[in-house]
Amino acid sequence: MHYIYVRKLLPSAKMRKLLFLLIVATLLTPTVSPAGSDYAYPYQDAYKATVYGTPPELVHPIKDPVEPKLRSIKIDGRRIPDVLSYSSEMFYSTALQKDAAPLIFVIAGTGAEHNSAKMKFLTKLFYQAGYHVVALSSPTHMNFVVSVSEHGAPGYVPYDVNDLYRVMLWIKADIAKECEVSGYSITGYSLGAMHSAFLAHRDSEKGDFNFEKVLMINPPVSLIHSVARIDSWLTPENLGDLTVHEEIEHFIEMFSEYYERADVTDLDDNFMYELVTHVDLKDKDLRALIAVDFRVSSSSMIFASDVMLQAGYVVPPDEYPLTTGKPMLPYAEEAFEISFKEYLNEFLLPYIQYKEPGVDRYTLMKECSLYAIRSYLMETEKIVVIGNRNDVILNEHDLDFIDTVFGSRAKLYPTGGHCGNLMYTPFAEAMLEMLKP
Amino acid sequence: MMQRVTISNFMHPLMLLACLLCLGACGAKSVKKMDASLMMEPTEFRTEVNHWPEEKEHDIDFLDIYDPWEPMNRNLYNFNAGLDEYFMLPVTTVYDTVVPSPVRTGVGNVIQNANEVGTLVNCILQGKVEKGAITTSRFLINTTFGVLGLFDWASESENLKLQEEDFGQTFGVWGMGNGPYFVMPLFGPSNLRDTVGFGADFLFLLLEMKHAYKLLGIKNTKTVAYTELVLRALNRRSTTAFRYHSTGSPFEYELIRFVYTKKRELDILH
């Protein structure tokens, strides 16, 4: 009896719910723009977004994702020290379509490799959208510095762009032998976005690629300013009484505690996400974590560069040749201590002046910023920007620059921090949309 | 006639291995380029300011791990990296391509199930009752319902997740220190205590295999044992995501040394 009563009631309850939903939907439709309504990225906090990224359940699903192929380029006869010989080839990855298709180059962010998590995601995303994909490590990644960089001192955008351009021409020629390419586009995130813009500018003078679209994802406006900002998070201004080492030990303690508590058996990507989201990190800690991560990659870069040039910056000249058995921790510690500003003043600028007398600090800073190609960016319709208003590497001036120079060609989300929402469906779909001719 | 059969029997697996290696060797497709500007000829450039290491107390204490055999260890690390690149990975690639994924999972499960016995023994030696109980339940469930461990039904339950205990951890629980860090040839990061533990694990495994074969009525134990050891190696490499020189850091040796030591320290506490 009771059972029948419930069964009879169900349809009408369902109907009422449906009706209610319909009314709500109709009421809301005119007021909420379609772009805004589906954007519900979970982290409002810019630092949380930057560190946590996109929760696994919200990552844009890619059906039957392609497994990118590993390839390499080796410069014949290049002098490479024994201790870095494992990096003698430049590694990159490709995902090529069977039939004729447009090709997109993807450039990684500072210190990142061609197959980092973000790069893999972008490779799979663009491949599924029908592109041939070529994914390149950042010129600031050790492997790039050691294997193909002309000057061996990364961070100076004009040199890095030269290196990228040369490599891309080689790859273009090699891939043309394997499949049909109907056109070229270029993209990159973070520093890779800045490189993309400069590469497009270079191409506009040389005409090798005639890029159809240039998509800049979360670009810095001034490399030096953005890096200085990150570096400042390891100063007392952010850390208070703690030294950097105490802060790192604090992280290790917190992570260890979590490891104990969570009964972890697998150290996979999900574990990393679980770890950072389950440990109570304050904004100050998140800032420090971003900065420490940056220092770890910059110390790799600085050491590799110093060894390639034997410039006597971290490794004393009388310690060459470095043998493969030589303990490296003392160098690692020294290199970790070096801020980007110090690297710039003590290594990069003097080296560029050695190569090109007359370049001063101001020129260097300008050449490493979008100001150097401002008018080109302003008048070139095919260049588009996607990013976030609360990107932690941008300040008010940078946002003004993006708004003024790109206008409606820039799509900025309110939240997402620096690349935090890169894998979030609305962001991923917007990237594809913006790449369309 | 007899002689010829023997030779071809002997040659066959070798030929197969050679073919498999060729198949697997297609890792990175490499292209050589010539460019005179990219020779990295030495320059006269020297920085005026330097950050040379000084003889002093180490700043980053937690990274400083007792490693008196470091020069040898570093070379062993490189040796292992080479072995991995030119032998283990190509062979594993073939294993992953030729053997269908469900079969590989089954192989992995059977091995994992057999390993529960070792874990259980170490739980007992360390007096860890709860972990021992979980391991026993897992072993019973997976051996019976999971058809000799082919299926890992136990892991479906939140309370019956895989536990891992080995002799190295047992020695640690008993109060034995790490001893010097040591990179085992072929097997990678370890320390003196864990290397001894690894030896004990291996002896225990051989003992276990011997008894298992007897129980299953396997006659040709030598062939089966070698096959099992090869499968164990393939399974282990195939399910380990780690790639040498993939950290993008020239200080990978130091990072791995730290992560290994910290992980073992926590595993012993746990």
Side-chain angles (χ1 to χ4, degrees):
Chain A
M1 204 39 209
H2 183 70
Y3 176 64
I4 290 167
Y5 172 74
V6 172
R7 264 222 323 208
K8 264 189 176 165
L9 209 143
L10 258 172
S12 82
K14 242 189 199 167
M15 281 296 282
R16 251 187 288 156
K17 221 180 197 172
L18 199 75
L19 212 69
F20 175 73
L21 276 175
L22 266 173
I23 293 167
V24 171
T26 354
L27 282 175
L28 281 178
T29 316
T31 50
V32 181
S33 72
S37 65
D38 56 355
Y39 187 79
Y41 180 73
Y43 304 115
Q44 303 302 309
D45 183 287
Y47 302 103
K48 278 203 172 89
T50 306
V51 173
Y52 296 175
T54 305
E57 68 274 12
L58 294 179
V59 167
H60 183 63
I62 297 172
K63 253 187 275 162
D64 306 322
V66 64
E67 200 42 58
K69 293 253 186 309
L70 182 69
R71 296 183 187 232
S72 69
I73 290 176
K74 189 176 165 61
I75 308 297
D76 219 13
R78 184 175 168 93
R79 193 185 57 88
I80 291 169
D82 272 356
V83 277
L84 299 174
S85 62
Y86 50 82
S87 256
S88 58
E89 293 168 45
M90 186 210 78
F91 294 104
Y92 67 104
S93 42
T94 59
L96 305 179
Q97 307 282 348
K98 284 199 181 70
D99 302 317
L103 184 148
I104 188 164
F105 288 101
V106 190
I107 320 280
T110 316
E113 207 170 3
H114 63 95
N115 57 2
S116 71
K118 287 189 183 80
M119 288 298 280
K120 261 192 186 149
F121 174 81
L122 292 173
T123 303
K124 290 171 180 177
L125 179 77
F126 296 135
Y127 177 84
Q128 212 204 20
Y131 292 89
H132 301 300
V133 187
V134 173
L136 296 170
S137 300
S138 169
T140 57
H141 185 269
M142 174 182 74
N143 177 250
F144 196 99
V145 178
V146 175
S147 62
V148 284
S149 127
E150 180 182 350
H151 299 291
Y156 185 48
V157 172
Y159 287 0
D160 291 346
V161 166
N162 279 346
D163 288 336
L164 279 169
Y165 199 85
R166 183 185 314 112
V167 164
M168 283 161 53
L169 277 177
W170 284 334
I171 294 173
K172 179 191 170 195
D174 288 340
I175 283 182
K177 292 176 208 154
E178 292 174 39
C179 57
E180 205 177 317
V181 177
S182 59
Y184 295 89
S185 286
I186 185 161
T187 185
Y189 67 87
S190 193
L191 179 58
M194 182 180 268
H195 288 146
S196 303
F198 277 90
L199 286 162
H201 179 246
R202 181 72 46 91
D203 181 55
S204 71
E205 292 163 348
K206 296 198 166 188
D208 291 304
F209 298 97
N210 295 310
F211 292 118
E212 284 163 1
K213 278 277 171 174
V214 180
L215 173 66
M216 303 167 71
I217 309 165
N218 285 91
V221 171
S222 156
L223 173 62
I224 314 288
H225 283 158
S226 288
V227 173
R229 208 174 148 90
I230 297 175
D231 254 334
S232 76
W233 299 333
L234 291 182
T235 60
E237 190 192 325
N238 182 47
L239 293 178
D241 300 336
L242 289 182
T243 66
V244 177
H245 296 136
E246 284 165 343
E247 177 74 7
I248 295 176
E249 286 186 40
H250 175 56
F251 285 141
I252 294 176
E253 244 168 63
M254 282 195 289
F255 294 161
S256 301
E257 256 169 48
Y258 173 75
Y259 178 83
E260 290 290 283
R261 197 172 64 222
D263 198 13
V264 188
T265 46
D266 242 348
L267 295 175
D268 57 7
D269 288 353
N270 276 349
F271 163 72
M272 287 310 292
Y273 178 79
E274 294 282 314
L275 183 144
V276 288
T277 47
H278 281 86
V279 170
D280 180 31
L281 296 169
K282 309 271 183 290
D283 264 3
K284 137 186 136 44
D285 299 320
L286 292 166
R287 278 195 289 265
L289 199 59
I290 299 168
V292 165
D293 179 57
F294 185 82
R295 273 287 176 88
V296 169
S297 42
S298 82
S299 61
S300 299
M301 182 190 90
I302 291 170
F303 176 80
S305 182
D306 186 38
V307 172
M308 287 304 281
L309 295 176
Q310 301 203 358
Y313 190 45
V314 176
V315 183
D318 57 0
E319 294 188 9
Y320 288 104
L322 292 175
T323 56
T324 49
K326 176 119 183 140
M328 298 277 180
L329 191 59
Y331 304 135
E333 289 176 340
E334 290 298 331
F336 184 83
E337 290 294 321
I338 301 170
S339 69
F340 196 82
K341 197 175 157 194
E342 287 170 310
Y343 169 71
L344 184 82
N345 291 335
E346 301 166 355
F347 191 111
L348 191 59
L349 182 60
Y351 181 58
I352 290 161
Q353 286 168 337
Y354 167 81
K355 291 269 169 190
E356 287 176 53
V359 174
D360 58 9
R361 200 164 188 279
Y362 173 78
T363 319
L364 181 143
M365 286 183 65
K366 190 174 175 201
E367 290 300 322
C368 294
S369 79
L370 297 180
Y371 284 93
I373 49 171
R374 192 176 191 275
S375 54
Y376 169 73
L377 296 174
M378 206 147 186
E379 67 204 18
T380 312
E381 287 294 321
K382 67 184 178 188
I383 302 180
V384 290
V385 177
I386 188 165
N388 307 313
R389 289 220 169 262
N390 70 348
D391 191 333
V392 299
I393 67 162
L394 301 178
N395 62 23
E396 282 304 311
H397 296 298
D398 297 333
L399 286 171
D400 280 348
F401 179 93
I402 292 176
D403 286 334
T404 321
V405 171
F406 298 100
S408 62
R409 287 182 282 129
K411 185 179 177 69
L412 298 180
Y413 289 92
T415 56
H418 187 60
C419 299
N421 51 355
L422 186 105
M423 300 188 193
Y424 177 55
T425 298
F427 196 93
E429 282 171 348
M431 287 194 284
L432 293 179
E433 191 56 41
M434 291 170 83
L435 273 171
K436 282 185 185 153
Chain B
M1 188 64 191
M2 208 43 220
Q3 187 70 20
R4 262 172 59 200
V5 171
T6 323
I7 288 172
S8 77
N9 272 354
F10 172 70
M11 286 302 288
H12 193 68
L14 271 186
M15 296 271 282
L16 190 71
L17 185 70
C19 291
L20 288 182
L21 272 175
C22 294
L23 248 172
C26 47
K29 198 169 180 182
S30 189
V31 180
K32 276 197 178 170
K33 300 286 176 190
M34 309 279 274
D35 191 319
S37 69
L38 301 182
M39 289 300 109
M40 278 316 282
E41 299 297 348
T43 70
E44 294 298 309
F45 173 72
R46 299 288 177 270
T47 58
E48 280 174 29
V49 187
N50 65 57
H51 297 260
W52 297 345
E54 289 161 36
E55 285 299 324
K56 60 170 178 187
E57 284 288 296
H58 285 303
D59 297 328
I60 312 180
D61 298 329
F62 56 85
L63 278 177
D64 199 14
I65 282 150
Y66 182 51
D67 188 1
W69 306 327
E70 182 165 357
M72 176 190 70
N73 279 339
R74 298 189 81 99
N75 285 317
L76 281 170
Y77 188 87
N78 288 338
F79 170 78
N80 286 348
L83 194 74
D84 195 52
E85 186 182 351
Y86 295 108
F87 184 73
M88 269 325 275
L89 283 180
V91 173
T92 310
T93 310
V94 174
Y95 173 70
D96 289 343
T97 342
V98 173
V99 182
S101 158
V103 180
R104 272 182 281 134
T105 311
V107 168
N109 285 343
V110 171
I111 291 170
Q112 181 186 294
N113 189 53
N115 288 348
E116 308 263 13
V117 183
T119 304
L120 176 62
V121 168
N122 282 294
C123 288
I124 295 168
L125 291 174
Q126 297 171 31
K128 285 180 178 158
V129 180
E130 197 192 332
K131 281 193 157 200
I134 293 174
T135 305
T136 311
S137 318
R138 287 180 53 87
F139 184 69
L140 291 177
I141 293 169
N142 286 341
T143 307
T144 52
F145 300 116
V147 198
L148 293 176
L150 205 56
F151 302 98
D152 179 9
W153 297 128
S155 290
E156 301 289 315
S157 158
E158 257 317 300
N159 304 320
L160 291 178
K161 291 287 174 215
L162 180 70
Q163 307 294 315
E164 280 173 303
E165 295 293 338
D166 53 41
F167 280 99
Q169 289 178 54
T170 301
F171 298 153
V173 170
W174 290 352
M176 207 184 280
N178 293 348
Y181 182 72
F182 177 54
V183 176
M184 291 192 286
L186 271 80
F187 303 104
S190 188
N191 52 46
L192 191 56
R193 181 203 58 222
D194 289 343
T195 304
V196 175
F198 181 82
D201 289 333
F202 190 69
L203 285 179
F204 183 85
L205 174 69
L206 292 182
L207 217 72
E208 188 195 337
M209 280 161 64
K210 200 174 150 191
H211 277 84
Y213 295 165
K214 212 173 181 180
L215 222 68
L216 295 168
I218 293 168
K219 293 248 161 55
N220 197 356
T221 46
K222 222 175 193 174
T223 321
V224 179
Y226 283 132
T227 314
E228 177 175 345
L229 290 178
V230 168
L231 274 177
R232 277 176 174 270
L234 287 172
N235 173 62
R236 179 146 182 201
R237 192 62 193 105
S238 165
T239 53
T240 308
F242 178 76
R243 293 288 182 272
Y244 282 93
H245 304 307
S246 66
T247 51
S249 168
F251 312 119
E252 182 169 289
Y253 175 88
E254 284 79 3
L255 287 171
I256 300 286
R257 182 174 67 186
F258 165 69
V259 170
Y260 176 81
T261 308
K262 188 75 196 170
K263 183 178 185 308
R264 290 298 285 181
E265 179 194 315
L266 294 172
D267 286 341
I268 287 165
L269 281 175
H270 195 50

